């Protein structure tokens, strides 16, 4: 496995196009591959960072109504990987994962609930204790997105997010 070659194949869209040619149910799809690359500790930091940026672009783009179901399926595969990265120790990767979740949760109630069910609010409270400016900024953005309902605000208070 060569990180540099995989980085080029992903950035040029080759892997995504090849996986789209496969019939549904014929093995892993693109979102699953991205999730595997992101959570695999043997994959280099450069490739994992590129995957985070790619996910950030992917979830930040507008989705047409006819593609919404496919988008939600992909996101449901990516959320656990992004949450795992958020609970890691690399602040840059944590920042990218958090920024991806900010884009993902913006204006999507069902995605906000999915993130809360994966324990993202407690991870956000932990991330606020880390002294990293970019991570703190994106964590605050995510908290703004996720604490629109009283129940979600209660969870943040219960986790110690507000003294």
């Amino acid at each position: 496995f060569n990180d540099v070659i995989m980085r080029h194949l992903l950035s040029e869209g080759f892997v995504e196009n090849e996986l789209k040619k496969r019939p549904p149910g014929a093995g892993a799809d693109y979102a699953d591959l991205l999730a595997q690359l992101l959570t695999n500790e043997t994959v280099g930091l450069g490739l994992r960072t590129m995957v985070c940026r790619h996910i950030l672009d992917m979830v930040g783009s507008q989705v047409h109504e006819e593609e919404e179901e496919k988008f939600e399926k992909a996101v449901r595969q990516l959320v656990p990987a992004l949450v795992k990265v958020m609970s890691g120790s690399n602040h840059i990767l944590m920042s990218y994962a958090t920024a991806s979740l900010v884009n993902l949760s913006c204006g999507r109630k069902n995605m906000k609930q999915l993130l809360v069910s994966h324990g993202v609010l407690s991870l956000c409270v932990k991330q606020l204790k880390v002294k990293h400016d970019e991570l703190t900024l994106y964590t605050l953005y995510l908290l703004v997105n996720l604490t629109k309902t009283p129940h979600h605000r209660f969870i943040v208070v219960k986790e110690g997010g507000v003294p």
Side-chain angles (χ1 to χ4, degrees), residues 7 9 20 53 66 74 76 82 100 129 134 143 162:
R7 214 177 325 170
L9 292 173
K20 282 181 181 177
R53 284 194 313 265
E66 60 272 3
R76 289 187 187 281
L82 291 168
S100 297
K129 296 173 182 165
E134 190 174 302
L143 281 170
V162 179

Side-chain angles (χ1 to χ4, degrees), residues 2-156:
N2 189 321
D3 283 6
V4 176
I5 292 174
M6 181 57 90
R7 214 177 325 170
H8 287 291
L9 292 173
L10 287 173
S11 66
E12 296 296 323
F14 178 79
V15 174
E16 183 176 15
N17 290 334
E18 287 299 310
L19 289 176
K20 282 181 181 177
K21 292 177 187 177
R22 295 168 59 175
D29 61 358
Y30 189 60
D32 190 43
L33 172 68
L34 293 178
Q36 292 295 324
L37 289 172
L38 192 56
T39 57
N40 189 330
E41 295 294 326
T42 62
V43 172
L45 181 61
L47 178 57
R48 292 173 68 198
T49 304
M50 194 225 97
V51 168
C52 277
R53 284 194 313 265
H54 186 69
I55 293 171
L56 182 61
D57 292 339
M58 192 172 87
V59 299
S61 61
Q62 295 296 322
V63 178
H64 302 292
E65 282 186 37
E66 60 272 3
E67 297 175 355
E68 186 69 31
E69 185 178 318
K70 198 163 113 179
F71 174 77
E72 284 200 25
K73 180 181 180 266
V75 164
R76 289 187 187 281
Q77 291 172 296
L78 291 171
V79 164
L82 291 168
V83 171
K84 184 176 179 183
V85 171
M86 276 182 72
S87 62
S89 60
N90 186 302
H91 297 150
I92 294 170
L93 281 175
M94 292 166 66
S95 297
Y96 277 119
T98 306
S100 297
L101 294 177
V102 168
N103 281 358
L104 177 65
S105 63
C106 185
R108 295 183 176 107
K109 287 183 183 179
N110 55 343
M111 289 299 141
K112 290 177 186 180
Q113 189 59 40
L114 177 68
L115 295 179
V116 171
S117 70
H118 275 85
V120 169
L121 290 175
S122 62
L123 288 173
C124 285
V125 172
K126 290 176 186 170
Q127 284 183 345
L128 288 176
K129 296 173 182 165
V130 174
K131 302 297 183 218
H132 189 270
D133 291 341
E134 190 174 302
L135 179 59
T136 300
L137 176 68
Y138 289 121
T139 302
L140 289 172
Y141 285 154
L142 184 57
L143 281 170
V144 167
N145 279 356
L146 295 179
T147 56
K148 301 289 185 193
T149 65
H151 175 68
H152 294 168
R153 288 192 294 272
F154 173 76
I155 293 171
V156 171

